[in-house]
Structure formats: structure tokens, C-alpha cells
Amino acid sequence: MTHPFSRINPVAKLGAALLLAACLVLTVDWVSAGTALLLELAAFPFLGIRARRFWLRTLPVWVAAPLTGITILLYGRPSGTIYWEWFAVRISDGSLELALATMLRVVAIGLPAVVLFITVDATDLADGLAQVWRLPSRFVLGALAAFRLVGLFANDWRYLELARRARGVGDAGRIRRIPGQVFALLVLAIRRGSKLAVAMEARGFGGPIPRTWARESRFEMGEWATLIAGLMVGMIAIAAAVGTGHWNFIVG
Amino acid sequence: MTNVPGPSSGSPVRPARVRAAGWGWRHAPRTRWALRGLDFEIDPGERVLLLGASGSGKSTVLQALAGVLGGSEEGESAGELLIDQRPASDSQGRVGLVLQDPDSQVILERVGDDVAFGCENLGVPREEIWPRVRHALAEVGLDVALDRSTAQLSGGQKQRLALAGVLAMRPGLLLLDEPTANLDPAGVAEVRDAVARVLESTGATLVVVEHRVDVWLPLVDRVIVLSPDGALLADGAPEDVLQSRGEELAELGVWVPGHPHAVAPRVSAPGTRVLGTRDLTVGRSVAFAANGFERRMPDLGFLEGTSTAITGPNGSGKSTLGLTLAGLLPPIAGTASARGTLRDGASEHPIDWRSRELLTRIGTVFQEPEHQFLRSTVREELAVGPRALKLSSAEIAARIDELLQRLRLDALADANPFTLSGGEKRRLSVATILATRPRVLVLDEPTFGQDSRTWAELLGLLGELVDEGKAIIAMTHDRRFVDTFADREVRL
Amino acid sequence: MTSTTKSEPTIATARRSIRWRVVDIVVASVIAVASSVVFFAWNIAHDGVSSLLKPLLPGLQAADGGMWLFAGVLVALVVRKPGAALYGEFVAAAISALLGGQYGATVLLSGLVQGLGAELVFLLFFYSSWRVWVAILAGIGAGIAKAAFELVVWYPGADTLFMTVYVAASIVSGAVIAGFLSWLAVRGLAKTGALDRFASGREYSAHV
């Protein structure tokens, strides 16, 4: 059983996440970020994502948010009472408020961006990008074909690590070996890519004939609803901030 | 298969005619012509086996016929190469090409999409694509769901998938570039039988490049041989060419039936036990490679001066066992332990050794030589191990010179390891291991992709090592290797 | 369908064509994919403690940002086509989002912006110079774009000093890691023969 939301065209999910982010980026205040976050948390249960998966995938956002908040607490624009000052660090009323706003904002922008992408399948996304958004098909399909090689590269990377141990140079630090391994991975990747290009060209890819699509990428009611929902959350958040006088435009 | 191909999907294939007249090709960065003055004609429906030494330009011929050699930016052509009456470079859809490496020619994530890819590129209307896809899959005998992930297919299945993708385009000329070189014996048979079926039903013209002649002899009715410098050496009926040119072909690295390469008999006597396993379960974690797995292994012991072949189908855990024995992967359960001369003061379990301690004890030759290259010249590459052992520079130089000579790499001492040919890369990867004189050698598919000449060379070399008292453990699919070389076979 | 590029014959007289060949597209994509695998490996190798201490820095946390920028410059130096830096960086970002990168869809935007930063530099040189200092400038362009984007999206509340240090650190990191190291990598790659189908590879490889 697939959840209806997982069948929504990925470009609509992507569009919704980007529209929402575009609204929230404009201001730094705890009202807009908090409002958006509440609406998002209310909506997520209806997207058919299992709790375990949700927390696992969004964990980095929950970690990043307080850390970004701390940075702003220490280095945010100061105003009001200054509580502590040392070298470049200044903790003040202003930076406290900004830190809270920043924390909520990171979560409010980050969560939907991650959650909406959880159910995205690369093939469906490529179909949508090329057919709905009309991005050049040669590039979209080239990227899609290359994406399939991720598993092979991950495997290559493992073997490169094992091979370094086998060659007697595995005792040095892991970080120090990275440049060499990156280089070897690139050689292998480019070799594979060149072969893949031959295989694709041999099947008429990039030729003069206008391409057809075996499967149509649809953009219908559900897709429009998804887009509008994303935009609505952003607009409501902005309205709340403006209405309560908390709107704080990022520039100036 | 529930979908029996209907009459609409069986539109006839028109076999193609091929004509080369004084044709040649020079790759852009080079001054030497890869191929020169080729003249031949292939009639519609003919089935040709194209032979020649590595580097004689066989693959270049196939890529030119498929129209994918690239334009003037990438090289210069001479003469004419025609499919039917049109230049090969604009014969899209008339020609289908299947390549050697299964992993590099799967294009899309889902089986159905992958087969449909060529049709889409040729502008075939949507309604017609899916019947063609089902028909092609049925023809190659690939009975899997259309939305099955292509990553989950075996090597033989991937090659049949590639064949189906080509068939769905309805080509009149089928080109196969060593399509079975990377497969296990079961995969080879799968692919060969699928090709036979396809030729039976379409009557398409066939050109196949392959070192292993015996695989394709039953299918072909003509053999063309290219000389090492890219000219035409022989052309005729298979029996005639193989009879009159057998010796010469074997010399070029072609596996000619009845012309086995001599491998010197071995003189070693088994020594003491140096490595053994107990209740061993090998596997890899799920974390990085997508699919983790575990396999229980039989208890094994390895003696000095013996060679062991470990065989078994794909997925039986051969490679993982090898990496575990070599002290590179930790066992999931049970132990792999070193004894006596091999242990030599180090801890009992190879996985606990430091990287440097491995060097003089167990050497591993990976299936893909490029995974273990670290430096930009062959000489530097050979110095890596001895330097890690902190040997004197005189000693290092002496060892390198000896290895360069012994493995016929001396002319390549300053070449970049990545630019070597397949056979040379294999020799170098063995040489890098020998430079630190380990007592045990673990080799993963050492004969993969080797032609008959480099194969015999490698066996000769490994034989000498066993005679010197080393224990050799090889994971392999290669029947010939097992029969000629192994003192013992362990089937997983 | 309009998405397929017309097959205008490439200007035969020009030594190099501006039109992307299939091998350009696929190898550019593959480099981008390999780069996102590297980001992942980098994240794993990264010490967990240092990532907890990083927020305490006054803007210097941008110093390893070049790691996320090399895909664009590297792709441009290899395929030498208009749009290569933009495409390479964007695909690398998209792949890391698909693999479950931590910032999801917003990574697409940062990829786009960073790619543009490098692309503009190559454009300023009319896509005809691929020397080391152009590569370094492109790395700087990407670094500035990255810093600007992140300050707006993640750190808009920061004070001037933090922002200045952040931009400076991004520039240095972009110049060294994305610019200079990418250039070195391409030179090394050319010597392995892997780039024989590219003008960038033929410049260095031996003529046989």
C-alpha cells in the first residue's frame, strides 16, 4: 500500500518546500518561524511517513538548530542589556532573542525541506523535471543515469580504504588519506562515466530525433494542492509576524 | 511472463549490410592510427567473430559501427564505413551495441525504464514502447517485474537486460563487445543462449568481439582477425581461420581450442600450516554498502607451498571470505588465526595487525587493480610497501629493479599505473604485493579480463611463488585456473 | 517535446565546440555524483566533537566550506563547457539531497547559488582560460556565493564581525580547496589517461 502523498509528483513537493523556504527566509523572528513550525508539525502526520523514519532523517536538523542558535547567541547583533562580553563574543538581550528566532527558523525551513524529500524517488523526480519543468532532457537523464552509480562508488570507496590497509599505509590518520582516495575515486568514476556515455549514446541518447517519454509525468489537482499548501504555510507565518509587529526583515 | 508478445510488437527486423572501404581511425591525442586501411563487407544476416590482440582496435571498430566514436574533436577518420548505404556515424537505431562491463551499461533504475530508454531516444510513440519492452524482455528470457530495481540483477541478468534494451530498438546489426568477459560460467551461458535466440528470431547481422572463442564458435559463420597494428590479418570461415592461423592467434592472446598455453609444472612440497579459520562467519555491515549479508564458512587451513582455489556462485561470499582471511575485514563471528612463521611475533588474529604488519605477512591482490594504486609512476608504486617497512634505500631500489625485470615492467617504470593495459595492471598489482615478500597471498579473481597470453604468464608467476613456499589463496570463477593451478578447491 | 537540443551541426572550423557532447554530460554528472559520495565520507570521517565545538567559532566554521564547492570548479575544468560549473555544483547538491543530506531541498538552492558564483568567473574569461589562477578565482567566486547564501538563510542575525570573518574564511577555503586542489586534481587525472576524450586531458597526456 503506497500512501497517496508518496504518489504526488516530486516537482510539486520540491516546489512546495522551496516556496515555503522563500517566505521564511525573508524575516528573522520567533513568531513567523514558530507559526510555520506549528503548522508543519500539524501537517506531517498526514504525509504517511513512519515515526522512526521521520526522526532518523530529520535528526540532523534538530541537532543543527540549537547549534546555529548558539552561534547567534555568541555573535548575534547586540542590543539592549549586554550580559557578557569576551573578545568577539557579546551576549545581549538582542542576541538572546535572535538566537531563539534563529533556532526556530532553522527547524521551520529545514524540516519541510527534508521531510518533503523523504518520499522522493530519483526517477520520478527526473521525469518531472524534464517533462513538467521542461529542463533539458539530456542533462536531466545524464544526471539520473549517473545517480545510479552511487552504490558502486560507495563500494569503490570501501575497497579503496581496505586497499590502503593492504598496502601498508593504513596506519596513518583517516583524514590524511582522504585526498588520495578522492583522487582514485575520481579516476574510477570518470572511467565508468565514459563507458556509460558510450552505452547511452549507442542507444540513441543525445541524437537528432526528438525524444518521447515512455511514462507521462502528471501535474494535477494533488500537485497544485501541495504547492498551495506550501505557499499558504509561508504566507500565514508572514501574516502572523507582521500582525504581531515582530516582522524583522533580514537586510538592515 | 504473462504478456505474450502480440503481433503488433513483432514487426520484422531488416538485417543490415556493413561495408568498410579503406577505413581507419586515429584518436585525437595520438599520432599513430589505431586502425588503418580496413576493407571488408558483411552481408545481411552474417554472423562474424572479430578477433585480435589487446590493443588491436577491435572495440574501436565496434564503436565506429555503432556511431559513438565521437566527432572531429575526438579523432580523425579515413575512408568509408557504411551501414546499408549510410555512414555509420548517422545510423541511429540501425545498430545496437552491448559492452563488456555489466555495471557501466545499466542506464536507469528500473528494468522497464532501462529497456524503454533506447525507444524513447528514437522517438518511438508511447503506446508502442511498452509492447516492445515486454517483447524484448521475453526474448532474452528476463522474467522480472518492470519496476524491479536494476541494481539487484546478477551480472548475467544485467547483460541480458542490456541486450533487451538494444533489441527494443529493433536494430539490423547487433554488436557485442566481450559481453561475457566479466561473468561467471552460468552468466556466460545465459547470455550466449539469449543471443542465439535473438538471432534465430530476428535474423540480424552480428559482429561479436571475444577472446574466448569456444563460447561463440557454435553461433558464428565467419571470423575476421585484426593484426596488432590495426590492419586486416585474416578473414574467412571459422574452421579455416582457426586451423591456418591457430598458432598466431594463440600468440595474440586468443583462446584457440587445441592451442593451450604451456604452464610449467610445479615442484613444491607442502609445508606447515600458517593460517586457519574456526567457526568463521564472514559478512559486511549494512552501514555503507547498500546490502549487508552474513555467510557461515567451513573450517579451513592453509599450508605453506600450496595453492587453494575458492569457488562458488556469485553471492556465496568468496570475496568477503578472502578479505577476512587477508586481515582486512573483521569476522562477524568465529576466528581467522595465523600461526608459526606467519604470525612471527604479531598478535594471533590478522585483523588486529597494524597495516604495516600485514605487509610481510599477508598480501592481497584486489579484483580491480586500480583500487590499490597509490602513486603516479610504476617505480614509485612499487616503493610504497618497502618504504612503509623502512627498508634502506639501497634495498628498496634492489627489490624494485628485480621485480620490474621479473614481471616485465621495466620499460614502464616511469609510466602512470592507471595508463597501463589490463594485463600490465594485473602484473603491477601483484608486483606491489611481492615487494614486501609476504608469506601468504590472497587474490580475488586474478584472471578476470585477462587474455590467454597474460593468463598463462600470471599462472607461471604464481606457480613460482608457490614453489618458493608461499601459500596462495585465490577466489575465482575460472575453471581453467582451478584445473591447471590449484592443489585444492574449496567450493562454497 | 522541446527539451531535446536541436542537432545543429557543430561549427566544424572551431577547434572546440560549445555544445555539450553526451560524454561531457555524463562525465560531468558522474563527477558530481562522486563528489557527493565524498561529502558523505567526509561527514563520517569528521570528528563528532569538533562539530559540536564549531558553533563557538566567530565565523571560522566556514573554513572547511571549500569541501562542498569543489564539484563545480572540477567539472568545469574537466569538460570546459559553458554552464559546467553551475551544472556540476547543482547536481552534486541534488544528489546529496536525494541521498538524505541534512538540509533537504534547501541544498538545491545553495548548490545553484554556489555554482553560479564559480560559473560567473569562467564566463568573465569567455570560457577560454582554464589556468590555475582562473580556477582559484572560480573557487573564490563559489566561496563568496556560499557565504552570502548561508548568512542570509542561516545566520541573518549575526553581527558584522562574524559576517566578515565568515566571508573571509569562505573565500580562503574556496580558493584553496575548490580552486587550487581541483586544478591539481585535473592535472593528475589527465596523466592517468582518464580524460583522453576531453581537451583538458589531451593537454597533459603523452602523445603516442
Side-chain angles (χ1 to χ4, degrees):
Chain A
M1 269 290 285
T2 53
H3 190 273
F5 186 72
S6 69
R7 288 201 296 269
I8 295 288
N9 196 322
V11 294
K13 295 176 189 168
L14 184 59
L18 293 181
L19 282 175
L20 174 52
C23 294
L24 294 180
V25 157
L26 298 176
T27 172
V28 207
D29 67 273
W30 65 269
V31 176
S32 66
T35 310
L37 186 54
L38 283 178
L39 292 171
E40 288 164 9
L41 291 175
F44 289 156
F46 300 99
L47 302 184
I49 297 162
R50 292 222 182 83
R52 193 186 129 77
R53 199 162 179 217
F54 174 87
W55 291 110
L56 212 66
R57 291 291 290 267
T58 60
L59 183 67
V61 178
W62 299 107
V63 174
L67 294 179
T68 317
I70 291 173
T71 307
I72 296 300
L73 178 69
L74 303 181
Y75 305 105
R77 271 191 300 277
S79 64
T81 317
I82 291 179
Y83 299 103
W84 193 58
E85 203 170 350
W86 176 78
F87 183 51
V89 175
R90 253 178 307 177
I91 299 179
S92 65
D93 280 334
S95 72
L96 269 168
E97 196 185 331
L98 280 171
L100 174 67
T102 299
M103 213 166 86
L104 290 172
R105 194 165 166 273
V106 168
V107 181
I109 295 177
L111 274 192
V114 171
V115 169
L116 290 173
F117 236 71
I118 291 182
T119 55
V120 164
D121 170 82
T123 306
D124 295 334
L125 176 63
D127 277 349
L129 290 176
Q131 294 180 55
V132 178
W133 285 10
R134 300 289 169 102
L135 297 181
S137 65
R138 293 199 308 152
F139 289 87
V140 172
L141 288 167
L144 180 63
F147 176 61
R148 212 194 47 74
L149 300 179
V150 164
L152 290 180
F153 295 160
N155 225 4
D156 278 333
W157 187 263
R158 255 172 50 90
Y159 273 100
L160 289 170
E161 279 190 338
L162 296 180
R164 268 132 190 91
R165 172 166 162 82
R167 293 292 312 275
V169 294
D171 295 325
R174 243 182 142 173
I175 303 263
R176 269 181 47 202
R177 296 202 309 269
I178 282 186
Q181 282 179 225
V182 171
F183 183 78
L185 184 72
L186 284 172
V187 175
L188 292 163
I190 292 172
R191 289 259 159 84
R192 284 231 165 84
S194 305
K195 285 192 232 165
L196 179 62
V198 169
M200 291 175 78
E201 228 178 339
R203 290 211 223 159
F205 181 68
I209 306 164
R211 190 171 206 282
T212 50
W213 298 89
R215 184 181 30 226
E216 189 182 8
S217 177
R218 295 165 185 275
F219 203 91
E220 293 164 340
M221 286 292 289
E223 280 73 25
W224 285 112
T226 306
L227 266 190
I228 291 169
L231 185 62
M232 286 297 289
V233 172
M235 297 305 273
I236 293 172
I238 289 180
V242 173
T244 56
H246 282 86
W247 171 266
N248 180 17
F249 190 55
I250 41 170
V251 181
Chain B
M1 198 103 240
T2 47
N3 295 288
V4 179
S8 72
S9 54
S11 82
V13 166
R14 192 167 43 86
R17 173 186 302 280
V18 178
R19 202 168 81 88
W23 187 78
W25 175 264
R26 184 179 66 80
H27 291 289
R30 313 193 182 264
T31 48
R32 194 176 71 85
W33 286 72
L35 292 152
R36 199 149 209 192
L38 284 190
D39 289 292
F40 58 84
E41 194 149 342
I42 301 174
D43 289 331
E46 251 190 312
R47 300 163 179 188
V48 177
L49 176 62
L50 183 60
L51 297 175
S54 322
S56 63
K58 303 181 299 287
S59 296
T60 309
V61 172
L62 290 200
Q63 294 193 9
L65 286 170
V68 295
L69 258 191
S72 54
E73 207 175 326
E74 294 182 48
E76 187 185 347
S77 69
E80 267 187 334
L81 191 65
L82 301 176
I83 310 286
D84 299 330
Q85 303 304 326
R86 303 173 58 186
S89 51
D90 56 59
S91 297
Q92 254 101 14
R94 279 298 280 153
V95 183
L97 171 65
V98 177
L99 301 160
Q100 174 179 351
D101 180 5
D103 286 325
S104 303
Q105 59 183 329
V106 174
I107 296 163
L108 296 173
E109 173 63 36
R110 302 174 195 161
V111 165
D113 293 7
D114 192 83
V115 179
F117 182 74
C119 298
E120 296 179 310
N121 292 326
L122 295 179
V124 175
R126 183 176 299 149
E127 321 74 74
E128 205 188 310
I129 292 180
W130 293 107
R132 282 200 190 194
V133 168
R134 293 199 187 87
H135 185 82
L137 284 171
E139 227 170 351
V140 301
L142 199 56
D143 188 10
V144 299
L146 291 181
D147 62 355
R148 172 74 176 273
S149 162
T150 48
Q152 292 167 3
L153 302 179
S154 71
Q157 286 178 318
K158 281 181 185 160
Q159 291 301 74
R160 282 186 288 151
L161 177 72
L163 185 60
V166 161
L167 283 183
M169 296 162 62
R170 305 261 157 91
L173 171 60
L174 190 56
L175 305 171
L176 310 175
D177 192 354
E178 302 198 46
T180 57
N182 289 17
L183 302 181
D184 59 15
V188 172
E190 272 173 35
V191 170
R192 196 253 328 270
D193 294 347
V195 170
R197 251 194 324 272
V198 165
L199 292 177
E200 199 59 45
S201 76
T202 65
T205 312
L206 172 78
V207 181
V208 54
V209 167
E210 179 72 67
H211 286 305
R212 287 184 272 183
V213 170
D214 51 346
V215 176
W216 297 100
L217 268 186
L219 272 183
V220 299
D221 44 32
R222 180 174 165 193
V223 172
I224 295 180
V225 186
L226 295 179
S227 71
D229 57 351
L232 207 63
L233 193 69
D235 183 353
E239 318 74 66
D240 299 345
V241 173
L242 292 184
Q243 186 124 70
S244 61
R245 303 274 184 165
E247 195 93 4
E248 212 171 336
L249 286 170
E251 211 43 49
L252 295 178
V254 176
W255 298 101
V256 184
H259 289 267
H261 280 272
V263 176
R266 296 230 317 278
V267 295
S268 67
T272 58
R273 182 168 155 131
V274 283
L275 189 63
T277 71
R278 174 155 233 175
D279 301 329
L280 182 67
T281 300
V282 302
R284 43 173 86 156
S285 57
V286 199
F288 210 32
N291 33 9
F293 74 97
E294 289 185 12
R295 295 280 182 279
R296 178 63 204 269
M297 292 293 153
D299 286 352
L300 300 170
F302 301 95
L303 310 182
E304 282 180 325
T306 62
S307 60
T308 308
I310 297 177
T311 61
N314 283 323
S316 57
K318 290 194 302 289
S319 295
T320 314
L321 173 61
L323 293 170
T324 310
L325 289 172
L328 300 177
L329 282 182
I332 302 282
T335 53
S337 28
R339 303 165 194 214
T341 50
L342 178 62
R343 190 167 161 188
D344 186 26
S347 129
E348 186 186 346
H349 305 297
I351 189 63
D352 297 332
W353 296 346
R354 285 182 303 133
S355 174
R356 211 152 64 82
E357 288 176 314
L358 269 175
L359 283 177
T360 51
R361 294 179 173 83
I362 305 180
T364 312
V365 178
F366 286 69
Q367 180 176 330
E368 178 67 78
E370 297 192 349
H371 280 140
Q372 56 190 132
F373 291 160
L374 303 167
R375 295 287 183 268
S376 58
T377 67
V378 167
R379 180 176 287 279
E380 280 293 306
E381 194 67 64
L382 291 172
V384 169
R387 275 207 196 116
L389 291 179
K390 306 212 159 57
L391 299 180
S392 72
S393 49
E395 169 72 12
I396 294 177
R399 284 195 185 189
I400 293 177
D401 288 334
E402 189 224 313
L403 280 170
L404 284 173
Q405 283 226 314
R406 184 169 173 194
L407 288 157
R408 292 195 301 105
L409 291 165
D410 29 1
L412 299 164
D414 296 318
N416 188 306
F418 286 99
T419 60
L420 305 183
S421 73
E424 291 161 352
K425 275 181 191 156
R426 173 57 75 222
R427 292 209 299 273
L428 176 58
S429 66
V430 174
T432 56
I433 298 310
L434 297 184
T436 54
R437 304 187 178 157
R439 293 168 201 282
V440 176
L441 258 79
V442 178
L443 306 108
D444 194 1
E445 298 289 1
T447 58
F448 228 59
Q450 304 291 313
D451 63 28
S452 67
R453 202 167 53 96
T454 55
W455 183 90
E457 259 173 27
L458 188 68
L459 258 72
L461 173 67
L462 295 178
E464 288 171 30
L465 295 173
V466 177
D467 288 345
E468 286 168 18
K470 296 190 192 304
I472 289 194
I473 307 168
M475 275 54 66
T476 185
H477 282 312
D478 184 347
R479 245 316 95 201
R480 274 194 197 101
F481 178 87
V482 179
D483 294 342
T484 344
F485 177 71
D487 297 323
R488 173 175 66 142
E489 178 182 359
V490 177
R491 263 180 232 254
L492 296 182
Chain C
M1 209 57 22
T2 54
S3 44
T4 317
T5 325
K6 280 193 284 342
S7 69
E8 72 270 68
T10 49
I11 311 137
T13 49
R15 265 192 316 128
R16 48 194 192 84
S17 156
I18 278 187
R19 183 181 147 90
W20 289 61
R21 301 166 300 164
V22 169
V23 67
D24 294 322
I25 296 175
V26 177
V27 167
S29 308
V30 157
I31 293 176
V33 170
S35 305
S36 32
V37 172
V38 172
F39 299 159
F40 258 70
W42 173 252
N43 278 336
I44 293 168
H46 230 112
D47 190 359
V49 181
S50 74
S51 60
L52 287 178
L53 293 176
K54 260 170 84 178
L56 304 179
L57 293 172
L60 284 173
Q61 48 269 73
D64 66 356
M67 275 300 289
W68 280 263
L69 299 174
F70 78 82
V73 181
L74 185 61
V75 166
L77 293 178
V78 168
V79 307
R80 298 186 171 181
K81 303 281 172 181
L86 183 59
Y87 179 73
E89 192 65 41
F90 182 70
V91 172
I95 302 298
S96 66
L98 282 169
L99 291 177
Q102 41 187 326
Y103 299 112
T106 56
V107 169
L108 297 183
L109 285 181
S110 50
L112 208 58
V113 171
Q114 293 157 11
L116 264 178
E119 186 69 38
L120 282 176
V121 173
F122 291 117
L123 172 67
L124 281 177
F125 289 89
F126 298 106
Y127 300 109
S128 58
S129 175
W130 310 95
R131 273 189 254 275
V132 60
W133 51 274
V134 178
I136 290 174
L137 282 178
I140 291 175
I144 293 174
K146 175 176 185 285
F149 179 85
E150 285 171 357
L151 289 174
V152 165
V153 175
W154 307 118
Y155 300 108
D159 65 6
T160 324
L161 177 67
F162 179 89
M163 291 200 180
T164 316
V165 175
Y166 200 86
V167 172
S170 297
I171 287 179
V172 172
S173 174
V176 175
I177 302 178
F180 183 65
L181 289 186
S182 293
W183 179 83
L184 265 188
V186 172
R187 224 175 51 146
L189 287 171
K191 289 180 184 152
T192 67
L195 301 181
D196 276 355
R197 290 193 68 187
F198 299 88
S200 55
R202 291 180 212 127
E203 222 165 82
Y204 298 97
S205 60
H207 293 235
V208 185

